[in-house]
Amino acid sequence: MTPINSTTSTPPRGRFAPSPSGRMHLGNIFTALMSWLSVKSREGEWILRIEDLDPQRSKPEFVAHIESDLEWLGLEWDEGGSADMGPHAPYSQSSRGDLYESILGRLEATGLTYPCYCTRADIMATQAPHQSDGRVVYAGTCRISPPAHPTRKPSTRLTVDDTDITFSDAIAGIQSFNLARECGDFILRRADGAWAYQLAVVADDADMQISEVMRGNDLLLSAAQQIWLYSLLNHKAPEFAHLPLICNAEGLRLSKRDNSLSMEALRQHMSAKEIIGRLACIAGLTPEPIPMTPNQLIPLFSISKLRELPQIIRINPAEFQSIPINRD
């Protein structure tokens, strides 16, 4: 597969994997556009995968909105989507349990998995959050001293080594994480039977032959966890490229509750070309926010321009609300 920095002829395979738990916001679209441009600038294929692991939050109507918004913006996919177009169907994680079960079996065969009876409340009560986002490092309680008479169903955790996972990110540069110190043993399957993100995304990316993963830089630690999984499965990891986060004027991450920058609101005030043009300017691909289509941006895309961006990009929502309706 073609590395992001390469000019060789092998087409890359990238993917966009949104969660259908609400309407997409500007940050989701920024990631989708950059991921699409990265593979299309090298004549690659872009796969749409629906990450609907959470049955409580994932809704079919949000899948329909995701596909409608991407098509409206001109971000067409080569494989996947709700139509399961392509050789790696199904493309919705809720339908891929058999694959995850087989991957879990392979990991269990390593002897590094174990049942964990701790709840998040249990873990939070034993230590302070490791980072400002509330993440804590699991101390391996059930691995070190498993309960003699458990009273609840267990999750399944994976043991991590006390070694550094180092990789070169195409945007963020050299990254190094010690999983034992920075996240601890992590969950592969929750106590309620739901599959954990780390296992599912590795299984899917390997099965779909994804060669590059472009996403927000809040997932840098996840890349280290996934590289650990790839190593245990004897599978080559994709190349990672972690984008700056799109935040509001206060520097807070956008969420699907930020209605003013949701696709529902943006489509009320802006044309698809205007949204794409403004995002291209934010990414440093154009000097001004000129209305453009994704196809027009292909020759302008360069990964080196993304490396020059700050880690957090602050957006004033008013800039995306003051434009009159001008539908394509």
Side-chain angles (χ1 to χ4, degrees):
M1 293 297 177
T2 309
I4 293 175
N5 296 311
S6 174
T7 57
T8 58
S9 59
T10 307
R13 284 174 61 82
R15 49 81 162 171
F16 180 55
S19 172
S21 56
R23 198 69 179 262
M24 288 194 296
H25 56 64
L26 194 69
N28 303 132
I29 297 305
F30 180 72
T31 298
L33 176 62
M34 294 303 112
S35 172
W36 188 91
L37 288 172
S38 180
V39 295
K40 292 302 176 183
S41 65
R42 289 167 291 136
E43 300 181 348
E45 297 176 316
W46 197 60
I47 292 86
L48 175 61
R49 187 170 72 227
I50 305 301
E51 296 200 338
D52 55 349
L53 286 174
D54 189 337
Q56 302 301 318
R57 300 177 63 217
S58 300
K59 306 295 181 186
E61 57 265 31
F62 292 134
V63 176
H65 284 313
I66 287 168
E67 296 186 343
S68 171
D69 289 337
L70 291 175
E71 290 173 339
W72 181 76
L73 290 164
L75 297 172
E76 297 182 357
W77 53 95
D78 301 291
E79 286 182 26
S82 58
D84 281 335
M85 178 179 64
H88 303 287
Y91 289 86
S92 296
Q93 289 186 326
S94 59
S95 300
R96 296 175 63 80
D98 289 346
L99 173 64
Y100 306 151
E101 197 76 61
S102 68
I103 294 296
L104 179 61
R106 290 176 60 185
L107 292 169
E108 287 175 335
T110 68
L112 294 176
T113 66
Y114 61 91
C116 176
Y117 300 90
C118 300
T119 66
R120 180 168 178 79
D122 295 334
I123 299 168
M124 292 293 288
T126 61
Q127 60 181 291
H130 181 65
Q131 290 195 347
S132 59
D133 62 3
R135 175 167 55 85
V136 298
V137 177
Y138 182 64
T141 304
C142 287
R143 170 172 51 83
I144 298 168
S145 181
H149 303 287
T151 58
R152 59 172 70 103
K153 290 184 178 180
S155 61
T156 302
R157 283 191 185 267
L158 178 70
T159 305
V160 300
D161 277 354
D162 186 13
T163 57
D164 293 337
I165 303 291
T166 301
F167 61 98
S168 179
D169 188 88
I171 295 174
I174 300 298
Q175 303 292 314
S176 187
F177 297 93
N178 184 291
L179 294 183
R181 293 197 302 267
E182 297 185 63
C183 79
D185 301 345
F186 57 89
I187 290 177
L188 300 175
R189 194 174 195 175
R190 295 186 340 202
D192 63 3
W195 296 101
Y197 167 77
Q198 306 297 0
L199 181 143
V201 74
V202 167
D204 290 339
D205 285 346
D207 179 64
M208 296 177 187
Q209 301 174 13
I210 300 300
S211 64
E212 67 175 68
V213 172
M214 185 172 285
R215 58 193 181 186
N217 61 23
D218 57 324
L219 291 171
L220 275 167
L221 176 60
S222 284
Q225 292 171 287
Q226 289 158 24
I227 289 169
W228 175 238
L229 281 171
Y230 280 115
S231 69
L232 295 178
L233 295 167
N234 295 315
H235 197 288
K236 182 180 178 181
E239 186 172 12
F240 291 101
H242 287 83
L243 292 160
L245 292 182
I246 301 292
C247 296
N248 62 21
E250 288 72 40
L252 299 176
R253 288 176 51 188
L254 298 182
S255 73
K256 291 171 181 176
R257 296 182 295 274
D258 289 310
N259 293 329
S260 63
L261 292 176
S262 74
M263 281 304 297
E264 181 177 10
L266 292 171
R267 289 180 68 162
Q268 299 288 328
H269 299 279
M270 303 177 73
S271 70
K273 289 182 179 179
E274 287 167 334
I275 295 172
I276 295 297
R278 282 184 172 260
L279 289 176
C281 183
I282 288 169
L285 305 183
T286 59
E288 296 179 358
I290 303 169
M292 299 184 77
T293 66
N295 282 323
Q296 289 173 319
L297 288 173
I298 290 175
L300 302 180
F301 179 80
S302 170
I303 195 73
S304 62
K305 294 179 180 178
L306 300 182
R307 296 189 191 115
E308 298 172 1
L309 299 175
Q311 291 187 350
I312 292 177
I313 299 174
R314 296 173 185 253
I315 297 295
N316 182 355
E319 295 178 5
F320 288 83
Q321 295 175 318
S322 59
I323 298 176
I325 294 175
N326 179 19
R327 299 189 182 279
D328 292 344

Coordinates of all heavy atoms in Angstrom, one line a residue, residues 1-2 11-15 45 47 49 79 87-88 91 96 201-213 230 235-238:
M1 N 0.8 -1.2 0.0 CA 0.0 0.0 0.0 C 0.9 1.3 0.0 O 2.0 1.3 0.5 CB -0.9 0.0 1.2 CG -2.0 -1.1 1.2 SD -3.1 -0.9 -0.2 CE -4.1 -2.4 0.0
T2 N 0.4 2.3 -0.6 CA 1.1 3.5 -0.8 C 1.2 4.3 0.6 O 0.1 4.7 1.1 CB 0.5 4.4 -1.8 OG1 0.3 3.7 -3.0 CG2 1.4 5.6 -2.1
P11 N -2.2 2.0 -5.2 CA -3.3 2.9 -4.6 C -3.5 2.6 -3.1 O -3.5 1.5 -2.7 CB -4.5 2.4 -5.4 CG -4.0 1.7 -6.6 CD -2.7 1.1 -6.2
P12 N -3.6 3.7 -2.4 CA -3.9 3.5 -0.9 C -5.4 3.2 -0.7 O -6.3 3.5 -1.6 CB -3.6 4.9 -0.3 CG -3.8 5.8 -1.5 CD -3.5 5.1 -2.7
R13 N -5.7 2.7 0.5 CA -7.1 2.5 0.9 C -7.3 3.2 2.3 O -6.7 2.8 3.3 CB -7.4 1.0 1.0 CG -7.6 0.3 -0.3 CD -7.7 -1.2 -0.1 NE -8.9 -1.6 0.6 CZ -10.1 -1.7 0.2 NH1 -10.4 -1.4 -1.1 NH2 -11.1 -2.0 0.9
G14 N -8.1 4.2 2.2 CA -8.4 4.9 3.5 C -9.9 4.7 3.8 O -10.7 4.1 3.1
R15 N -10.3 5.2 5.0 CA -11.7 5.0 5.4 C -12.1 6.2 6.3 O -11.4 6.9 6.9 CB -11.8 3.7 6.1 CG -10.8 3.4 7.3 CD -11.1 4.0 8.5 NE -10.5 3.4 9.7 CZ -10.5 4.0 10.9 NH1 -11.1 5.1 11.1 NH2 -9.8 3.4 11.9
E45 N -8.7 4.4 -2.8 CA -10.1 4.1 -2.6 C -10.5 4.5 -1.2 O -9.7 4.4 -0.2 CB -10.3 2.6 -2.8 CG -10.1 2.1 -4.2 CD -10.3 0.6 -4.3 OE1 -9.7 -0.1 -3.4 OE2 -10.9 0.1 -5.3
I47 N -13.3 4.2 1.9 CA -14.3 3.3 2.4 C -15.1 4.0 3.5 O -14.6 4.6 4.3 CB -13.7 2.0 2.9 CG1 -13.0 1.2 1.8 CG2 -14.7 1.1 3.7 CD1 -11.7 1.6 1.4
R49 N -17.4 3.2 6.6 CA -17.7 2.1 7.5 C -18.6 2.8 8.6 O -18.2 3.8 9.1 CB -16.5 1.5 8.1 CG -16.8 0.3 9.0 CD -15.5 -0.5 9.4 NE -14.7 0.2 10.3 CZ -13.4 0.4 10.2 NH1 -12.8 -0.1 9.1 NH2 -12.7 1.0 11.1
E79 N -16.5 2.1 -1.4 CA -17.0 0.9 -0.8 C -17.7 1.2 0.4 O -17.5 2.3 1.0 CB -15.8 -0.1 -0.4 CG -15.1 -0.8 -1.5 CD -14.0 -1.7 -1.0 OE1 -14.2 -2.1 0.2 OE2 -13.1 -2.0 -1.7
P87 N -16.4 -5.8 -1.5 CA -16.1 -7.2 -1.2 C -15.9 -7.5 0.3 O -15.7 -8.7 0.7 CB -14.8 -7.4 -1.9 CG -14.1 -6.0 -1.9 CD -15.3 -5.1 -2.1
H88 N -16.0 -6.5 1.2 CA -15.7 -6.7 2.6 C -17.0 -6.5 3.4 O -16.9 -6.3 4.6 CB -14.6 -5.8 3.1 CG -13.4 -6.0 2.3 ND1 -12.5 -7.1 2.5 CD2 -12.8 -5.2 1.4 CE1 -11.5 -6.9 1.7 NE2 -11.6 -5.8 1.0
Y91 N -20.5 -3.6 6.1 CA -19.7 -2.5 6.5 C -20.2 -1.8 7.7 O -19.8 -0.7 8.1 CB -19.6 -1.5 5.3 CG -18.8 -2.0 4.2 CD1 -19.3 -2.9 3.2 CD2 -17.4 -1.7 4.1 CE1 -18.5 -3.4 2.2 CE2 -16.6 -2.2 3.1 CZ -17.2 -3.0 2.1 OH -16.4 -3.5 1.1
R96 N -20.9 -7.4 12.3 CA -19.6 -8.0 12.1 C -19.1 -8.8 13.4 O -17.9 -9.0 13.5 CB -18.5 -7.0 11.7 CG -18.9 -6.3 10.4 CD -17.9 -5.2 10.0 NE -16.6 -5.6 9.9 CZ -16.1 -6.2 8.8 NH1 -16.9 -6.4 7.7 NH2 -14.8 -6.5 8.7
V201 N -12.1 -2.0 15.6 CA -11.5 -1.1 14.6 C -10.2 -1.9 14.0 O -10.0 -1.8 12.8 CB -11.1 0.3 15.1 CG1 -9.9 0.2 16.1 CG2 -10.8 1.2 14.0
V202 N -9.5 -2.6 14.8 CA -8.3 -3.3 14.3 C -8.8 -4.5 13.4 O -8.3 -4.7 12.3 CB -7.5 -3.9 15.5 CG1 -6.5 -4.9 15.0 CG2 -6.7 -2.7 16.1
A203 N -9.8 -5.2 13.9 CA -10.4 -6.3 13.1 C -10.9 -5.8 11.7 O -10.6 -6.4 10.7 CB -11.5 -7.0 13.8
D204 N -11.6 -4.7 11.8 CA -12.2 -4.1 10.5 C -11.1 -3.6 9.6 O -11.2 -3.8 8.4 CB -13.2 -3.0 10.8 CG -14.4 -3.6 11.5 OD1 -14.7 -4.8 11.4 OD2 -15.1 -2.8 12.2
D205 N -10.2 -2.8 10.1 CA -9.2 -2.2 9.2 C -8.3 -3.3 8.6 O -7.9 -3.2 7.4 CB -8.3 -1.2 10.0 CG -9.0 0.1 10.3 OD1 -10.0 0.3 9.6 OD2 -8.5 0.9 11.1
A206 N -8.0 -4.4 9.4 CA -7.2 -5.5 8.8 C -8.0 -6.2 7.8 O -7.5 -6.5 6.7 CB -6.8 -6.4 9.9
D207 N -9.3 -6.5 8.0 CA -10.1 -7.2 7.1 C -10.4 -6.5 5.8 O -10.4 -7.0 4.7 CB -11.4 -7.6 7.8 CG -12.4 -8.3 6.8 OD1 -12.0 -9.5 6.4 OD2 -13.4 -7.8 6.5
M208 N -10.5 -5.1 5.9 CA -10.8 -4.3 4.8 C -9.6 -3.8 4.1 O -9.6 -3.0 3.2 CB -11.7 -3.1 5.2 CG -13.1 -3.6 5.7 SD -14.1 -2.2 6.3 CE -15.5 -3.1 7.0
Q209 N -8.4 -4.2 4.6 CA -7.1 -3.9 3.9 C -6.9 -2.4 3.9 O -6.4 -1.8 2.9 CB -7.0 -4.5 2.5 CG -7.1 -6.0 2.5 CD -7.2 -6.6 1.1 OE1 -6.9 -5.9 0.2 NE2 -7.6 -7.9 1.1
I210 N -7.2 -1.7 5.0 CA -7.0 -0.3 5.1 C -5.5 0.0 5.3 O -4.9 -0.6 6.2 CB -7.8 0.3 6.3 CG1 -9.3 0.0 6.2 CG2 -7.5 1.8 6.5 CD1 -9.9 0.6 4.9
S211 N -5.0 0.9 4.5 CA -3.5 1.1 4.5 C -3.2 2.4 5.3 O -2.1 2.7 5.7 CB -3.0 1.2 3.1 OG -3.5 2.3 2.4
E212 N -4.2 3.3 5.4 CA -4.0 4.5 6.2 C -5.2 4.9 6.9 O -6.4 4.7 6.5 CB -3.6 5.7 5.3 CG -4.6 6.2 4.3 CD -4.1 7.4 3.5 OE1 -3.2 7.2 2.7 OE2 -4.7 8.5 3.7
V213 N -5.0 5.5 8.1 CA -6.1 5.9 9.0 C -5.9 7.4 9.3 O -4.9 7.7 10.0 CB -6.2 5.1 10.3 CG1 -7.2 5.6 11.3 CG2 -6.5 3.6 10.0
Y230 N -2.3 -5.2 16.7 CA -1.8 -5.7 15.4 C -0.5 -6.6 15.6 O -0.4 -7.6 14.9 CB -1.4 -4.5 14.5 CG -2.5 -3.8 13.8 CD1 -2.9 -2.5 14.1 CD2 -3.2 -4.5 12.8 CE1 -3.9 -1.9 13.4 CE2 -4.3 -3.9 12.2 CZ -4.6 -2.6 12.5 OH -5.7 -2.0 11.8
H235 N -0.1 -8.8 12.3 CA -0.7 -8.1 11.1 C 0.0 -6.7 11.1 O 0.1 -6.1 12.1 CB -2.2 -8.0 11.2 CG -2.8 -7.6 9.9 ND1 -2.8 -6.4 9.4 CD2 -3.6 -8.4 9.1 CE1 -3.4 -6.4 8.2 NE2 -3.9 -7.5 8.0
K236 N 0.3 -6.3 9.9 CA 0.9 -5.0 9.7 C -0.1 -3.9 10.0 O -1.2 -3.9 9.5 CB 1.5 -4.8 8.3 CG 2.2 -3.5 8.1 CD 2.7 -3.3 6.7 CE 3.4 -2.0 6.5 NZ 3.9 -1.8 5.1
A237 N 0.3 -2.9 10.8 CA -0.6 -1.8 11.1 C -0.7 -0.8 10.0 O 0.3 -0.7 9.2 CB -0.2 -1.1 12.4
P238 N -1.8 -0.1 9.8 CA -1.9 0.9 8.8 C -1.0 2.1 9.2 O -0.5 2.2 10.3 CB -3.4 1.3 8.7 CG -3.8 1.0 10.1 CD -3.1 -0.2 10.5

